[in-house]
Amino acid sequence: MTPRTLETMSEPKRVLLAEPRGYCAGVDRAVETVERALDKHGAPVYVRKEIVHNRHVVDTLTERGAVFVGETDEVPEGAIVVFSAHGVSPEVHRTAAARSLKTIDATCPLVTKVHQEAKRFARDDYDILLIGHEGHEEVEGTSGEAPEHIQIVDGPDSVDKVTVRDESKVIWLSQTTLSVDETMETVRRLREKFPLLNDPPSDDICYATQNRQVAVKAMAPQCDLVIVVGSKNSSNSVRLVEVAVQNGAKDGHLVDYAREIDDSWLDGVSTVGVTSGASVPEVLVRGVLDYLAERGYNTVEKVNTAEETLTFALPRELRPARTSSK
Ligand code: 0O3
Ligand code: SF4
């Protein structure tokens, strides 16, 4: 046996667990919106698109009677439809109204904030460069607020093809769930091209996205492997794997469930980092920790880089009726 093999065998197995991780305030509110709508109105409750991008959440709500549809024209006239946390364009509101649907809007208030910015700068006739992933629901919703003023910039390599009408009246906005570092690189290139580029009035990449990336960055250099719990269509979850590997983790994988972990990923691995995307219920992280414990990774050390206390009120239609004091 070589000295290196001996050394590897004797290295202790441990887990670094990122904090914060998992549900953000917007996801918590959106999932509860569907649950409360089911409690109040009974099944079926229609939901346009996945309420959040998580397979387990969608499957669980489906079992309870939620019916997920691609578009509002699949919802029977007059029925209840919930709009997902990622937001919708005004056109979706119009088509729902035309079919007399009863809408409950679970758009995260921080996504709505970006919609308001888009409307305001379009009103002032700016060219708006929306940094985000082409085809993502949030980007479709935001760009639908002012399609004639907004162009999508899908990362640093898309900057070359951007053209504007007036270089002194340009602003960038962004999707809420992007990589902070990659977005800053996109902005740097945009500013090289348009030196008078304006910044958004406040961060569009939300607190939860930023906090989860900061926690992963803190643990990545110590990790032989980082496991991110999240679904493949969850932008913020996918970004966490990229951030981990770019910041020193030797390997990184995204899994919906512990059963998707390949035992070969653990070969020679001493430290495993674990985190989860903003749309991921904690029970799924627990499953991964149990799986790792069964393979000798019993020690769990928390890597805490922020405390989160933000919560959002439910949509108006689901808040308890006020009782009069008279
Ligand atoms: O936007 P993303 O694909 O990351 O969506 P998720 O996974 O559902 O997470 C919640 C984020 C969201 C609703 C928009 O910010
Ligand atoms: Fe809202 Fe941020 Fe959560 Fe998206 S990730 S739902 S913007 S809090």
Side-chain angles (χ1 to χ4, degrees):
M1 199 174 278
T2 63
R4 176 62 204 158
T5 317
L6 264 175
E7 183 193 309
T8 306
M9 283 178 65
S10 60
E11 274 178 35
K13 290 178 170 180
R14 64 169 180 162
V15 173
L16 297 182
L17 183 59
E19 283 188 356
R21 66 177 177 282
Y23 271 21
C24 59
V27 165
D28 202 32
R29 170 182 187 262
V31 174
E32 195 179 340
T33 296
V34 180
E35 291 169 345
R36 291 279 191 97
L38 282 163
D39 291 345
K40 186 169 171 185
H41 303 286
V45 163
Y46 293 86
V47 184
R48 181 190 177 272
K49 310 281 185 191
E50 294 189 349
I51 184 72
V52 296
H53 292 150
N54 185 266
R55 206 161 92 197
H56 182 78
V57 169
V58 170
D59 288 349
T60 308
L61 290 173
T62 302
E63 278 163 26
R64 286 200 51 193
V67 176
F68 292 89
V69 296
E71 266 316 330
T72 40
D73 59 11
E74 295 164 55
V75 181
E77 294 253 349
I80 296 171
V81 64
V82 178
F83 292 148
S84 82
H86 314 94
V88 295
S89 68
E91 180 58 23
V92 173
H93 281 284
R94 276 193 290 274
T95 50
R99 293 176 64 74
S100 310
L101 303 182
K102 298 182 190 77
T103 58
I104 302 176
D105 191 354
T107 303
C108 175
L110 298 180
V111 173
T112 302
K113 184 208 76 167
V114 184
H115 282 227
Q116 303 299 357
E117 290 170 352
K119 282 196 275 195
R120 172 184 148 196
F121 287 102
R123 224 173 15 242
D124 293 344
D125 204 26
Y126 278 76
D127 270 28
I128 300 167
L129 308 180
L130 178 65
I131 303 176
H133 298 298
E134 193 98 47
H136 188 283
E137 280 144 39
E138 181 185 329
V139 170
E140 285 178 351
T142 307
S143 56
E145 290 288 359
E148 66 293 355
H149 283 90
I150 296 180
Q151 50 186 311
I152 297 161
V153 184
D154 195 343
D157 295 336
S158 301
V159 169
D160 286 349
K161 60 172 192 259
V162 177
T163 56
V164 298
R165 294 167 302 157
D166 174 359
E167 292 194 9
S168 68
K169 238 178 156 184
V170 190
I171 182 154
W172 71 274
L173 301 177
S174 87
Q175 188 178 338
T176 56
T177 51
L178 300 180
S179 152
V180 174
D181 292 340
E182 189 185 277
T183 304
M184 288 309 114
E185 175 57 14
T186 309
V187 172
R188 191 189 65 73
R189 291 205 207 170
L190 282 172
R191 189 157 279 128
E192 245 171 37
K193 195 166 172 172
F194 309 116
L196 298 177
L197 178 70
N198 288 281
D199 292 320
S202 62
D203 285 357
D204 288 342
I205 300 180
C206 78
Y207 80 100
T209 301
Q210 296 192 32
N211 285 347
R212 279 149 194 69
Q213 289 175 16
V214 168
V216 161
K217 274 189 183 184
M219 72 184 192
Q222 303 174 64
C223 294
D224 303 304
L225 165 71
V226 169
I227 296 175
V228 178
V229 188
S231 292
K232 309 268 178 296
N233 61 341
S234 165
S235 165
N236 78 89
S237 305
V238 174
R239 301 291 84 77
L240 288 174
V241 180
E242 293 169 0
V243 168
V245 173
Q246 284 158 5
N247 287 274
K250 294 197 186 79
D251 193 10
H253 292 279
L254 182 70
V255 295
D256 262 300
Y257 295 100
R259 62 173 182 266
E260 294 171 6
I261 297 173
D262 187 330
D263 271 339
S264 70
W265 300 346
L266 299 171
D267 286 349
V269 163
S270 165
T271 301
V272 184
V274 174
T275 188
S276 55
S279 47
V280 179
E282 187 61 11
V283 64
L284 303 180
V285 175
R286 180 47 50 201
V288 167
L289 295 177
D290 290 347
Y291 173 100
L292 291 170
E294 281 162 19
R295 284 151 185 83
Y297 298 87
N298 294 300
T299 318
V300 179
E301 296 168 32
K302 292 180 178 160
V303 177
N304 182 315
T305 49
E307 300 298 330
E308 291 182 348
T309 53
L310 186 66
T311 56
F312 293 126
L314 286 170
R316 182 169 27 82
E317 299 83 349
L318 295 169
R319 283 178 217 156
R322 284 201 194 161
T323 47
S324 165
S325 54
K326 286 181 194 161

